[in-house]
Every structure is written in structure tokens, then in C-alpha cells.
Amino acid sequence: VHEALALCAAVWYGTPAGKLTVIGVTGTNGKTTTTYLVKQLLEKTLSARVGLIGTNCNMIGGTIIPTDRTTPDALTVQRLLAQMADAGCAYVVMEVSSHALMQRRTDGIRFRAGVFTNLTQDHLDVHGTMENYYQAKKLLFDKCNLAICNINDDYGKRLYSEINCEKKTYGICGTADYYADGVKIRASGSSFWFCHEEKSYLVESRMPGAFNVSNLTAAIAVCLNSGIEIDSIISSIKDYAGVKGRCEVIPTGRDFTVICDYAHTPDAVEKVITAYNELKKGKVITIVGCGGDRD
């Protein structure tokens, strides 16, 4: 029934995905930041109108549409894609959740590229086991022309070995197709050398944390595979401050720094605290707010 609904919805709205270049991002952590980065880079480098479907909100260009879930139901997804096509969007960047893949909400969509960021404990209240969680995520790559996999993640390595579409790797290691080297992290941002095909390019970003270096590397890889010149991509990164609620610096006017981050999985919380422990001058105080009905 889920599959039938998705396919009927696609036909009802005139198969809008066929009029758009759709890029999907899945994984436990990093989806929101990576999708926002890709949207920003596509808009700046190509002067394109870009749609976004994700956790914080849905966007048609600069117009914000509130949302209740990361990937909406199939009917809403197809309606959004139709609205984006009608509004002149050339690209859509979408967070694709494991729930959506399991419930076939994105059936009827062919993704030009799919990014796999990582897989760590989350949603076991729904999937039961990590294996079921992984198999749900893997479904995206049956619908992709190109997969871009994080090989710093064990599940990313496994995914790369198991899928049959065209595939490339990224990471903070010299064995990936696209990798970050010479990483330097500051409280105000980061810098690293983006390496590809035996060439290196210096990237300066206002986004701190090694995890954001990974997200940046994924976004650059997506844009390169969209035919954008590397120099244009790198120059567009410099002024981008990141996503609200993702390593967001809250001004205090005092002698301490407040960082707001939506980390809510064990892996994400550990990475955020580790990143700021490496940058601290005094001590790090962590407050975690926990939503209900999660594993």
C-alpha cells in the first residue's frame, strides 16, 4: 500500500522528480548540515533556485514551509516537488530518513546522487536492531545514479562494498576519492586541504568541528559531481556560518561561549563534546535535553 501510494502520488502530481535534479542525503548524523551546505553551494555557484526537504523545514528557494518530520509522507513529498518544479527550481536536496525509506515515501523518485554520512545508534524503538536500521538506509541506493559514501564509518565501508550503482567515497583519510587532509579546528571555524585526483585545495570555513569537515567534504563532492568548478565551490564556503541549531554560537557578551547543537544520539553528543574539549580554555559544561519516546 505504501508503494502504491507513492507511485500514484508521483503520477497525480505529474512525476515532478523527472523535472528536477534530486540529491538525497541519509545517515544518522550530518544530514541537515550537508543538505543545507549543498543547497547553499548550488545557489551561489550556479545562481540556481534550489528546493530543500528536511528536518528543520522545507524550502522553495528562500521561502520556508514548516514541517513535522524529516521526510514527509509520499503525497506531501510529491506535492512539494511539484511546487518546487513550478517555482522554477532546478535542484532539490532532500534528507531521506530511514522511516521514509522503510515506508516507501520516496518511491517514484530517481536521485541523481545519494550521500551516506554514517550510521550510529538511533531509532531502535522503530527498527529494533542496527542491522534493520542499516538495511532501511541502504534502500536509498537502489534509487540512485551515484552513491557517495563516508568510508570513515564502518557502515559506510560496508555499504560501498554492497551496492551496485556508480559509487565514490569521501572521508578524513587519504584512501577516499575525496578527502580532507591537514585539518585544523578552531572555536571560530576550521580549515583543511580538500584532496581529489592528486590535487589539493585549501578550504576555510566558519563551521567548527571535525564532523563539519566531514560534512563539508561530502557537500563539495556532491557539487563536483554536479559539474561545478572547485574554485567556485571553495570561494562560496568561506562566508557560510552553518545551520541554525547545529554548532550554533549564541552571543552572550560575557567571558564564556554558549553553543547550541541538536546532537541527540550517543555518537553525536560525544563528537560535539570532544570537539569543544579540544578547543576549551576553561571547562565544558554540557546540558542535554532529552525528548520522549526514543530508544
Side-chain angles (χ1 to χ4, degrees), residues 21 60 69 78 107 128 130 152 183 198 228 246-247 268 290:
T21 298
I60 300 178
R69 56 182 64 88
Q78 294 296 337
D107 279 21
M130 288 297 292
N152 289 144
V183 177
E198 300 183 350
I228 304 169
R246 302 307 198 272
C247 281
C290 299

Side-chain angles (χ1 to χ4, degrees), residues 64-112:
I64 295 174
I65 303 169
T67 186
D68 295 324
R69 56 182 64 88
T70 297
T71 313
D73 63 273
L75 199 63
T76 303
V77 166
Q78 294 296 337
R79 183 171 66 248
L80 281 168
L81 292 176
Q83 290 172 340
M84 291 169 180
D86 291 345
C89 291
Y91 294 84
V92 174
V93 191
M94 181 190 305
E95 291 185 54
V96 189
S97 70
S98 56
H99 297 67
L101 290 161
M102 186 175 65
Q103 295 176 3
R104 313 293 289 268
R105 298 178 202 166
T106 57
D107 279 21
I109 300 171
R110 189 72 191 171
F111 292 85
R112 170 64 186 85

Side-chain angles (χ1 to χ4, degrees), residues 43-61:
E43 288 174 339
K44 283 211 162 192
T45 57
L46 300 177
S47 299
R49 192 170 177 85
V50 181
L52 182 139
I53 298 174
T55 302
N56 284 3
C57 64
N58 301 318
M59 299 179 72
I60 300 178

Side-chain angles (χ1 to χ4, degrees), residues 147-151 156 160 167-171 175-179 221:
I148 301 175
C149 305
N150 178 9
I151 59 165
Y160 183 81
K167 51 193 176 181
K168 296 184 180 180
T169 58
Y170 77 94
T175 57
D177 295 313
Y178 309 94
Y179 67 94

Side-chain angles (χ1 to χ4, degrees), residues 47-277:
S47 299
R49 192 170 177 85
V50 181
L52 182 139
I53 298 174
T55 302
N56 284 3
C57 64
N58 301 318
M59 299 179 72
I60 300 178
T63 303
I64 295 174
I65 303 169
T67 186
D68 295 324
R69 56 182 64 88
T70 297
T71 313
D73 63 273
L75 199 63
T76 303
V77 166
Q78 294 296 337
R79 183 171 66 248
L80 281 168
L81 292 176
Q83 290 172 340
M84 291 169 180
D86 291 345
C89 291
Y91 294 84
V92 174
V93 191
M94 181 190 305
E95 291 185 54
V96 189
S97 70
S98 56
H99 297 67
L101 290 161
M102 186 175 65
Q103 295 176 3
R104 313 293 289 268
R105 298 178 202 166
T106 57
D107 279 21
I109 300 171
R110 189 72 191 171
F111 292 85
R112 170 64 186 85
V115 176
F116 181 88
T117 60
N118 50 62
L119 197 76
T120 63
Q121 184 179 320
D122 198 12
H123 302 307
L124 298 187
D125 51 320
V126 174
H127 298 294
T129 67
M130 288 297 292
E131 180 62 22
N132 290 342
Y133 186 24
Y134 167 74
Q135 292 296 338
K137 293 288 192 188
K138 186 180 174 183
L139 292 171
L140 173 63
F141 301 92
D142 294 333
K143 317 172 198 295
C144 289
N145 293 347
L146 170 68
I148 301 175
C149 305
N150 178 9
I151 59 165
N152 289 144
D153 181 84
D154 288 341
Y155 283 102
K157 290 179 185 175
R158 177 181 167 187
L159 180 73
Y160 183 81
S161 70
E162 292 179 354
I163 55 179
N164 296 317
C165 63
E166 182 186 354
K167 51 193 176 181
K168 296 184 180 180
T169 58
Y170 77 94
I172 305 177
C173 61
T175 57
D177 295 313
Y178 309 94
Y179 67 94
D181 194 17
V183 177
K184 295 180 181 178
I185 306 296
R186 307 177 300 277
S188 59
S190 59
S191 65
F192 62 95
W193 290 91
F194 176 83
C195 305
H196 173 56
E197 294 182 342
E198 300 183 350
K199 294 182 180 180
S200 300
Y201 308 87
L202 181 62
V203 178
E204 298 275 359
S205 170
R206 293 168 59 189
M207 299 168 61
F211 47 89
N212 275 326
V213 172
S214 181
N215 295 332
L216 282 159
T217 303
I220 295 170
V222 168
C223 291
L224 282 175
N225 281 280
S226 299
I228 304 169
E229 294 293 328
I230 185 66
D231 292 339
S232 296
I233 297 169
I234 289 172
S235 64
S236 299
I237 288 172
K238 289 181 181 178
D239 297 327
Y240 185 60
V243 183
K244 186 175 179 61
R246 302 307 198 272
C247 281
E248 180 184 6
V249 178
I250 309 298
T252 65
R254 306 280 294 280
D255 60 348
F256 57 86
T257 301
V258 175
I259 307 291
C260 173
D261 195 272
Y262 187 62
H264 62 280
T265 67
D267 178 68
V269 173
E270 181 180 355
K271 280 185 168 62
V272 168
I273 296 172
T274 299
Y276 286 101
N277 266 319

